[in-house]
Amino acid sequence: MSEVSEVSEVSEELKALQKALAAEHAAVYGYGVVGGRIREGRRTEARAAYDAHRARRDALVREVRDLGGRPVAADAAYALPFPVPDSAAAVRLAAELEDRVAGVYSDLVRAATGGRRGTAAEALREAAVRAVRWSGESVAFPGLAELAGGASASATPTE
């Protein structure tokens, strides 16, 4: 493989890592909102997802640095896709967050090589499983909205 194509592959992988990192920053923020609105019976699940996203975020920071990049910083705040006044909306938000994260990890699976590809695939799987738990529906191709036919986050999950 030529040096130019290796640099190009690293560049594409780094871009995809940065996008995954940005998505994890947003998910951590979003789960802060979810945790404040979710009913008691689902708080443990929300906390586990929050912790999982924080761990993925921290790992991605290391990966970006390992590739010589400067990790993208978290925004001070993020616009939510819809108002979250109650537990039902918090559940919908959690499903939406997971769908979005799955999409970004799908892109990272395509761009990554070696061990990073496996790690990205595992993150995609975890986000897809959490999305199903939150929404109560699954999609044929998690993370690939163009093939899924309909976003599971658009369903009206139970609290």
Side-chain angles (χ1 to χ4, degrees):
M1 178 180 296
S2 75
E3 190 175 316
V4 171
S5 65
E6 283 180 25
V7 169
S8 177
E9 283 181 16
V10 168
S11 176
E12 289 303 311
E13 191 168 357
L14 182 56
K15 285 179 191 175
L17 281 167
Q18 291 280 36
K19 287 180 182 178
L21 177 55
E24 290 293 6
H25 284 312
V28 167
Y29 178 89
Y31 270 103
V33 174
V34 169
R37 298 283 191 232
I38 199 85
R39 68 178 172 82
E40 184 67 34
R42 298 209 67 184
R43 276 201 194 122
T44 300
E45 187 178 356
R47 179 62 187 207
Y50 174 79
D51 290 343
H53 286 291
R54 284 182 53 209
R56 289 277 181 201
R57 176 201 63 196
D58 295 348
L60 286 166
V61 166
R62 289 188 295 275
E63 293 286 336
V64 167
R65 286 186 179 137
D66 287 349
L67 286 178
R70 182 174 170 210
V72 63
D75 291 343
Y78 293 84
L80 298 176
F82 48 81
V84 185
D86 56 24
S87 185
V91 169
R92 284 193 319 275
L93 177 59
E96 177 74 19
L97 292 170
E98 297 300 346
D99 282 340
R100 289 178 181 196
V101 166
V104 173
Y105 278 113
S106 175
D107 293 341
L108 183 55
V109 167
R110 286 191 291 267
T113 58
R116 282 190 192 96
R117 177 173 279 164
T119 301
E122 178 64 19
L124 168 58
R125 185 195 66 77
E126 289 174 6
V129 167
R130 281 191 299 265
V132 169
R133 285 184 183 145
W134 287 116
S135 71
E137 294 185 3
S138 63
V139 295
F141 301 99
L144 299 174
E146 66 274 13
L147 299 177
S152 64
S154 65
T156 305
T158 60
E159 286 184 60

